[in-house]
Amino acid sequence: MSSGQDSVYSEYETDTSQTSKLIRKFKETPFVPIGMAGFAVVVGYGLYRLKHRGDMKMSLHLIHMRVAAQGFVVGAITCGVLYSMFREYVLKPKE
């Protein structure tokens, strides 16, 4: 093996804690946990409102809940892509 591969492997071996890997991933892509949290909030709120939906049909309520959750996740992914493009193309130092 070359010395370049040894340095890559040693970097990953020293960072074996699951929480440290998770924190590193959250720092690299901050909009993924935001999208997941938003999805959980929308679903939780939808389940809470399920009890008080009045005379709205169950299927209609579930469709609205699904669309809201998907919209939040797609919005978070879009913001993440725009953020990474901004970091790469605008804040990137001129070479």
Side-chain angles (χ1 to χ4, degrees):
M1 281 199 227
S2 69
S3 63
Q5 289 178 345
D6 292 337
S7 65
V8 172
Y9 291 134
S10 64
E11 177 185 336
Y12 285 110
E13 289 173 357
T14 59
D15 192 22
T16 57
S17 170
Q18 291 295 329
T19 56
S20 62
K21 286 182 183 178
L22 191 63
I23 290 171
R24 181 174 45 96
K25 283 292 187 185
F26 284 171
K27 286 180 181 177
E28 290 174 4
T29 55
F31 286 95
V32 171
I34 292 171
M36 291 168 50
F39 176 81
V41 167
V42 168
V43 169
Y45 179 72
L47 291 174
Y48 171 75
R49 292 294 299 167
L50 184 66
K51 191 174 190 180
H52 307 290
R53 69 181 187 274
D55 56 345
M56 182 188 293
K57 289 185 178 182
M58 170 79 90
S59 61
L60 187 61
H61 176 75
L62 293 176
I63 288 171
H64 287 169
M65 190 172 69
R66 178 186 63 88
V67 168
Q70 283 180 333
F72 195 92
V73 170
V74 168
I77 290 171
T78 304
C79 289
V81 168
L82 292 175
Y83 175 72
S84 67
M85 287 174 58
F86 177 76
R87 264 193 337 193
E88 186 174 334
Y89 295 113
V90 175
L91 298 180
K92 185 178 181 182
K94 304 282 185 198
E95 292 180 8

